[in-house]
Short mmCIF file of all heavy atoms in Angstrom, two decimals:
data_model
loop_
_atom_site.label_atom_id
_atom_site.label_comp_id
_atom_site.label_asym_id
_atom_site.label_seq_id
_atom_site.Cartn_x
_atom_site.Cartn_y
_atom_site.Cartn_z
N LEU V 281 -1.16 3.71 33.12
CA LEU V 281 -1.30 2.22 33.16
C LEU V 281 -2.75 1.86 33.36
O LEU V 281 -3.14 0.72 32.80
CB LEU V 281 -0.54 1.65 34.36
CG LEU V 281 1.03 1.80 34.20
CD1 LEU V 281 1.68 1.18 35.46
CD2 LEU V 281 1.45 1.03 33.03
N ASP V 282 -3.57 2.60 33.94
CA ASP V 282 -4.97 2.22 34.23
C ASP V 282 -5.89 2.79 33.20
O ASP V 282 -7.19 2.76 33.45
CB ASP V 282 -5.41 2.55 35.70
CG ASP V 282 -5.30 4.03 35.94
OD1 ASP V 282 -4.90 4.83 35.17
OD2 ASP V 282 -5.72 4.40 37.01
N HIS V 283 -5.38 3.50 32.08
CA HIS V 283 -6.26 3.95 31.10
C HIS V 283 -6.56 2.84 29.99
O HIS V 283 -5.75 2.59 29.24
CB HIS V 283 -5.66 5.19 30.46
CG HIS V 283 -6.44 5.81 29.37
ND1 HIS V 283 -7.76 6.29 29.60
CD2 HIS V 283 -6.18 6.22 28.12
CE1 HIS V 283 -8.24 6.86 28.54
NE2 HIS V 283 -7.30 6.77 27.61
N HIS V 284 -7.78 2.23 30.13
CA HIS V 284 -8.03 1.03 29.38
C HIS V 284 -9.41 1.09 28.74
O HIS V 284 -10.24 1.87 29.29
CB HIS V 284 -7.74 -0.21 30.06
CG HIS V 284 -8.32 -0.14 31.45
ND1 HIS V 284 -9.64 -0.33 31.64
CD2 HIS V 284 -7.78 -0.18 32.68
CE1 HIS V 284 -10.00 -0.31 32.93
NE2 HIS V 284 -8.90 -0.12 33.56
N GLY V 285 -9.64 0.27 27.77
CA GLY V 285 -10.97 0.08 27.26
C GLY V 285 -11.98 -0.50 28.27
O GLY V 285 -11.53 -1.35 29.09
N SER V 286 -13.22 -0.03 28.31
CA SER V 286 -14.12 -0.42 29.36
C SER V 286 -14.57 -1.85 29.12
O SER V 286 -14.85 -2.49 30.09
CB SER V 286 -15.40 0.48 29.28
OG SER V 286 -15.97 0.48 27.98
N ASP V 287 -14.46 -2.42 28.00
CA ASP V 287 -14.96 -3.81 27.71
C ASP V 287 -13.71 -4.75 27.61
O ASP V 287 -13.60 -5.72 28.39
CB ASP V 287 -15.80 -3.89 26.46
CG ASP V 287 -17.10 -3.10 26.51
OD1 ASP V 287 -17.64 -3.03 27.63
OD2 ASP V 287 -17.51 -2.63 25.50
N ALA V 288 -12.79 -4.45 26.74
CA ALA V 288 -11.65 -5.36 26.58
C ALA V 288 -10.63 -5.24 27.71
O ALA V 288 -9.79 -6.16 27.87
CB ALA V 288 -11.00 -5.08 25.27
N GLN V 289 -10.57 -4.11 28.42
CA GLN V 289 -9.64 -3.84 29.54
C GLN V 289 -8.18 -3.83 28.96
O GLN V 289 -7.26 -3.98 29.76
CB GLN V 289 -9.77 -4.96 30.59
CG GLN V 289 -11.12 -4.96 31.22
CD GLN V 289 -11.54 -3.66 31.99
OE1 GLN V 289 -10.69 -3.29 32.86
NE2 GLN V 289 -12.66 -3.11 31.68
N THR V 290 -8.09 -3.54 27.66
CA THR V 290 -6.74 -3.33 27.10
C THR V 290 -6.30 -1.88 27.09
O THR V 290 -7.20 -1.04 27.17
CB THR V 290 -6.68 -3.82 25.62
OG1 THR V 290 -7.76 -3.21 24.94
CG2 THR V 290 -6.90 -5.34 25.51
N PRO V 291 -5.01 -1.60 27.20
CA PRO V 291 -4.59 -0.17 27.20
C PRO V 291 -5.25 0.65 26.06
O PRO V 291 -5.24 0.25 24.88
CB PRO V 291 -3.09 -0.28 26.98
CG PRO V 291 -2.78 -1.64 27.51
CD PRO V 291 -3.84 -2.55 27.15
N ALA V 292 -5.73 1.77 26.41
CA ALA V 292 -6.50 2.71 25.48
C ALA V 292 -5.42 3.54 24.74
O ALA V 292 -5.63 4.73 24.74
CB ALA V 292 -7.53 3.37 26.11
N ALA V 293 -4.47 2.91 24.03
CA ALA V 293 -3.45 3.62 23.37
C ALA V 293 -3.94 4.35 22.09
O ALA V 293 -3.28 5.16 21.57
CB ALA V 293 -2.27 2.75 23.01
N LYS V 294 -5.20 4.02 21.69
CA LYS V 294 -5.68 4.73 20.58
C LYS V 294 -6.71 5.86 20.92
O LYS V 294 -7.38 6.38 20.06
CB LYS V 294 -6.50 3.74 19.66
CG LYS V 294 -5.59 2.54 19.21
CD LYS V 294 -4.45 3.01 18.25
CE LYS V 294 -3.69 1.85 17.78
NZ LYS V 294 -2.54 2.17 17.05
N SER V 295 -6.74 6.20 22.17
CA SER V 295 -7.73 7.08 22.64
C SER V 295 -7.29 7.82 23.90
O SER V 295 -7.76 7.62 25.03
CB SER V 295 -9.07 6.52 23.03
OG SER V 295 -10.08 7.46 23.30
N ILE V 296 -6.20 8.60 23.75
CA ILE V 296 -5.59 9.32 24.87
C ILE V 296 -6.01 10.82 24.73
O ILE V 296 -5.48 11.50 23.94
CB ILE V 296 -4.10 9.21 24.86
CG1 ILE V 296 -3.62 7.78 24.84
CG2 ILE V 296 -3.46 9.84 26.13
CD1 ILE V 296 -2.16 7.50 24.56
N PRO V 297 -6.73 11.40 25.68
CA PRO V 297 -6.95 12.85 25.57
C PRO V 297 -5.70 13.66 25.84
O PRO V 297 -4.99 13.46 26.82
CB PRO V 297 -8.02 13.07 26.71
CG PRO V 297 -8.59 11.63 27.05
CD PRO V 297 -7.48 10.79 26.78
N VAL V 298 -5.45 14.61 25.01
CA VAL V 298 -4.17 15.39 25.02
C VAL V 298 -4.56 16.82 24.71
O VAL V 298 -5.48 17.14 23.99
CB VAL V 298 -3.05 14.92 24.14
CG1 VAL V 298 -2.68 13.56 24.56
CG2 VAL V 298 -3.45 14.93 22.70
N ARG V 299 -3.65 17.68 25.14
CA ARG V 299 -3.64 19.04 24.78
C ARG V 299 -2.24 19.41 24.08
O ARG V 299 -1.25 18.79 24.47
CB ARG V 299 -3.82 19.98 25.99
CG ARG V 299 -5.19 19.88 26.59
CD ARG V 299 -5.38 20.73 27.74
NE ARG V 299 -4.50 20.25 28.90
CZ ARG V 299 -3.58 20.94 29.50
NH1 ARG V 299 -3.26 22.13 29.15
NH2 ARG V 299 -2.86 20.38 30.47
N LEU V 300 -2.34 20.29 23.15
CA LEU V 300 -1.07 20.80 22.43
C LEU V 300 -0.73 22.17 23.00
O LEU V 300 -1.60 23.06 22.87
CB LEU V 300 -1.25 20.76 20.92
CG LEU V 300 -1.67 19.42 20.32
CD1 LEU V 300 -1.81 19.56 18.83
CD2 LEU V 300 -0.67 18.29 20.69
N LEU V 301 0.40 22.28 23.56
CA LEU V 301 0.81 23.63 24.05
C LEU V 301 2.10 24.05 23.29
O LEU V 301 3.04 23.22 23.12
CB LEU V 301 1.13 23.53 25.51
CG LEU V 301 -0.02 22.99 26.43
CD1 LEU V 301 0.43 22.97 27.95
CD2 LEU V 301 -1.27 23.96 26.30
N ARG V 302 2.20 25.37 22.96
CA ARG V 302 3.44 25.89 22.29
C ARG V 302 4.60 25.59 23.12
O ARG V 302 4.60 25.85 24.30
CB ARG V 302 3.14 27.32 21.91
CG ARG V 302 4.09 27.80 20.84
CD ARG V 302 3.74 29.16 20.32
NE ARG V 302 2.37 29.16 19.78
CZ ARG V 302 2.11 28.86 18.52
NH1 ARG V 302 2.92 28.50 17.70
NH2 ARG V 302 0.76 28.90 18.08
N SER V 303 5.61 25.05 22.47
CA SER V 303 6.80 24.61 23.26
C SER V 303 7.89 25.62 23.11
O SER V 303 8.11 26.43 22.15
CB SER V 303 7.28 23.36 22.69
OG SER V 303 8.46 22.84 23.46
N THR V 304 8.79 25.71 24.19
CA THR V 304 9.93 26.53 24.25
C THR V 304 11.19 25.62 23.92
O THR V 304 12.33 26.18 23.94
CB THR V 304 10.12 27.23 25.50
OG1 THR V 304 10.25 26.20 26.67
CG2 THR V 304 8.94 28.20 25.82
N VAL V 305 10.89 24.34 23.74
CA VAL V 305 12.05 23.44 23.47
C VAL V 305 12.02 23.14 21.94
O VAL V 305 11.04 23.06 21.26
CB VAL V 305 11.73 22.03 24.19
CG1 VAL V 305 12.83 21.11 23.81
CG2 VAL V 305 11.70 22.29 25.62
N SER V 306 13.26 23.13 21.36
CA SER V 306 13.49 22.81 19.94
C SER V 306 13.09 21.39 19.67
O SER V 306 13.27 20.55 20.41
CB SER V 306 14.83 23.23 19.51
OG SER V 306 15.20 24.60 19.73
N ALA V 307 12.61 21.16 18.44
CA ALA V 307 12.37 19.86 17.97
C ALA V 307 13.64 19.06 17.90
O ALA V 307 14.62 19.61 17.43
CB ALA V 307 11.52 19.75 16.70
N PRO V 308 13.72 17.70 18.31
CA PRO V 308 14.84 16.96 18.05
C PRO V 308 15.29 16.85 16.63
O PRO V 308 14.44 16.92 15.77
CB PRO V 308 14.47 15.60 18.60
CG PRO V 308 13.30 15.89 19.54
CD PRO V 308 12.54 17.01 18.92
N CYS V 309 16.59 16.73 16.43
CA CYS V 309 17.07 16.62 15.07
C CYS V 309 16.91 15.22 14.57
O CYS V 309 17.02 14.28 15.37
CB CYS V 309 18.52 17.01 15.04
SG CYS V 309 18.87 18.79 15.46
#
Side-chain angles (χ1 to χ4, degrees):
L281 291 177
D282 59 353
H283 183 54
H284 48 69
S286 57
D287 295 328
Q289 300 297 305
T290 54
K294 304 297 183 185
S295 184
I296 309 171
V298 298
R299 292 176 293 122
L300 305 179
L301 304 178
R302 201 168 297 276
S303 182
T304 57
V305 178
S306 299
C309 297

